[in-house]
Amino acid sequence: MSIADLRAALEGVGSATGEARTHAQRAAERLGEAAALLAELTERTGADLPVAALQKAREEVDELAATVGLAGDAVADLGARL
């Protein structure tokens, strides 16, 4: 594998990582919206809805997005060093 091939592969990984981060961020936002809606429904109806579980899921997806972002930064740094 040549340096050019390696750079191209790293660019592909970087692109995929960026897309994954964007999707994870959107998922976190939607989980937050769902948790807010469930909290409102819980307040209105008194039902025991899984608000805390959705909030926890959002936190975990936020962490995932941050980790994917760090991975993307590391790939970009590696590519820049080649």
Side-chain angles (χ1 to χ4, degrees):
M1 177 177 260
S2 70
I3 296 294
D5 292 339
L6 184 55
R7 281 186 182 140
L10 287 172
E11 285 180 27
V13 170
S15 177
T17 302
E19 289 177 29
R21 182 177 185 201
T22 299
H23 289 298
Q25 288 172 328
R26 276 194 208 128
E29 290 169 6
R30 290 186 178 150
L31 283 167
E33 292 167 2
L37 286 172
L38 283 182
E40 184 179 328
L41 286 172
T42 296
E43 188 176 308
R44 287 183 184 182
T45 64
D48 186 21
L49 300 172
V51 176
L54 281 181
Q55 290 169 336
K56 175 72 173 158
R58 185 205 170 125
E59 292 170 9
E60 291 175 357
V61 174
D62 278 336
E63 290 175 15
L64 171 68
T67 300
V68 171
L70 290 173
D73 292 345
V75 168
D77 183 55
L78 181 59
R81 291 175 186 244
L82 291 179

